Amino acid sequence: MRNFLSVTDLIPDEIISVVERASAFKQGASSNALAGKVGVMIFDKPSLRTKLSFDVGIGKLGGRAIYFSHEEIGMDFRETAEDIGRVVSRMSDFAVVRTFDHSKVERLSEAASITVINALTDGEHPCQALADLQTIREVKGSYQGFKTAYVGDGNNVAASLALAVASVGGSLTIGSPEGYQLPEDVLKKAQTIASETGGTIEQVTSPEAAVSDASIVYTDVWTSMGQEAESRVRKKDFVGFQVNPQLLENAAPEVKIMHDLPAHPGEEVSVGLLDEPRSIVFDQAENRLHAQMGLMDFLLSDG
Ligand code: NVA
């Protein structure tokens, strides 16, 4: 039984193989890996892409999804993460969990006896990173030989992206203001993985330096779910870190723009940028479905 709480729960070869399965599903391959299986989705935060893609993906693999919102379960309010893990293990085959503190999904999975998949925590968004790798590979044909830049908050999305790009030997530069950089342990882990795969993970405080000659420029919101009280301060602290046509003049001519969505146009991206032909955000969103089907097929197949 395997969990997927962090990108690092899969070794690099497994990540590559999951993304290959994802591409096969996108091209029409099918699997009955979840026939007769029930996946419980426990979501403490709102969701469009993650909820839809898991629900649809579980169905396409022959399984059944049951969704619980924060109001219905209330992790650590109505009952503990541990008790939720124990109870869902008695009646279902795997759990897909979106919550706040990363330690909650760890505690739930330690008490559970079924596979647990992280559908976003404050620490990581590993399913997003699988879809990101699939999208990057579609556009560039490989993972190596070009630069990806991430501009903005060193948050859950940035952490999983750094670990994923490192795993496939890619090159990533993250540009964040002081105080909003990747947690030190995540940066070290990504750099250690990169040193074994031939990748490079760098962190800078200049957005121009981050995007310089980049073929992919990725950004995410400045204020993540749960940080709403900090929104005013963050808007000030991130001045100069907006991905806009001017900043993109520093990037490679063929640059493509990525964003995990939802976006806040006028903040981390200029208004209209994600509607331009160089934006690949809707391919990226669609790939959530294929990437998670690849993941579930890998983690949950009986044979
Ligand atoms: N960093 C964002 C990602 C949303 C999909 C958040 O956690 O709110």
Side-chain angles (χ1 to χ4, degrees):
M1 195 208 73
R2 301 271 301 270
N3 293 324
F4 187 59
L5 306 188
S6 163
V7 168
T8 56
D9 286 335
L10 298 184
I11 60 168
D13 282 351
E14 291 173 333
I15 292 175
I16 289 166
S17 131
V18 164
V19 177
E20 274 165 16
R21 280 175 200 231
S23 300
F25 282 128
K26 190 169 187 176
Q27 282 153 25
S30 64
S31 157
N32 245 344
L34 300 185
K37 294 196 168 123
V38 173
V40 181
M41 297 162 65
I42 300 165
F43 277 42
D44 271 346
K45 293 176 178 174
S47 175
L48 168 61
R49 277 149 296 278
T50 307
K51 179 179 175 183
L52 182 61
S53 53
F54 268 109
D55 200 330
V56 172
I58 291 169
K60 280 180 181 268
L61 294 174
R64 177 174 169 216
I66 301 177
Y67 177 83
F68 289 99
S69 67
H70 180 62
E71 289 68 34
E72 288 168 297
I73 294 196
M75 201 184 310
D76 284 340
F77 296 100
R78 190 160 168 271
E79 53 190 308
T80 63
E82 287 84 355
D83 280 2
I84 295 168
R86 290 180 191 113
V87 171
V88 299
S89 296
R90 298 291 182 108
M91 299 182 219
S92 64
D93 302 286
F94 64 100
V96 177
V97 181
R98 166 170 288 199
T99 190
F100 291 87
D101 205 281
H102 191 76
S103 64
K104 288 193 185 206
V105 75
E106 288 175 341
R107 285 170 41 226
L108 187 152
S109 73
E110 272 159 33
S113 53
I114 53 174
T115 287
V116 179
I117 296 173
N118 176 359
L120 181 147
T121 62
D122 292 348
E124 269 205 56
H125 196 2
C127 293
Q128 179 68 55
L130 295 176
D132 296 342
L133 289 182
Q134 184 183 354
T135 311
I136 290 171
R137 189 160 162 264
E138 282 172 0
V139 168
K140 301 302 295 178
S142 76
Y143 297 119
Q144 290 156 2
F146 60 91
K147 174 180 169 182
T148 298
Y150 174 95
V151 178
D153 192 16
N155 60 15
N156 45 7
V157 167
S160 290
L161 181 71
L163 296 167
V165 171
S167 300
V168 298
S171 154
L172 175 72
T173 303
I174 300 179
S176 312
E178 299 274 8
Y180 294 98
Q181 294 185 304
L182 274 189
E184 195 58 35
D185 61 320
V186 175
L187 179 67
K188 283 225 173 83
K189 210 185 281 178
Q191 288 175 332
T192 305
I193 297 169
S195 70
E196 287 155 12
T197 58
T200 51
I201 307 295
E202 285 173 354
Q203 196 157 236
V204 297
T205 52
S206 150
E208 289 79 15
V211 304
S212 170
D213 288 326
S215 300
I216 306 272
V217 173
Y218 193 135
T219 189
D220 183 25
V221 291
W222 294 338
T223 301
S224 285
M225 292 180 276
Q227 298 173 332
E228 291 76 8
E230 299 170 24
S231 169
R232 276 178 81 169
V233 177
R234 284 173 169 265
K235 273 187 208 168
K236 272 196 218 137
D237 291 347
F238 280 94
V239 166
F241 282 80
Q242 183 185 74
V243 175
N244 55 34
Q246 210 181 331
L247 183 70
L248 290 171
E249 280 171 19
N250 301 283
E254 76 280 8
V255 68
K256 300 285 183 210
I257 303 150
M258 292 178 69
H259 191 306
D260 50 286
L261 304 178
H264 295 164
E267 293 185 27
E268 78 278 2
V269 279
S270 54
V271 175
L273 193 77
L274 299 185
D275 304 319
E276 286 188 15
R278 54 189 171 166
S279 156
I280 51 172
V281 298
F282 297 107
D283 297 321
Q284 193 185 350
E286 179 192 329
N287 285 340
R288 295 294 306 280
L289 169 65
H290 311 299
Q292 287 152 204
M293 284 177 68
L295 176 71
M296 291 186 286
D297 191 57
F298 174 77
L299 290 178
L300 296 157
S301 289
D302 289 327

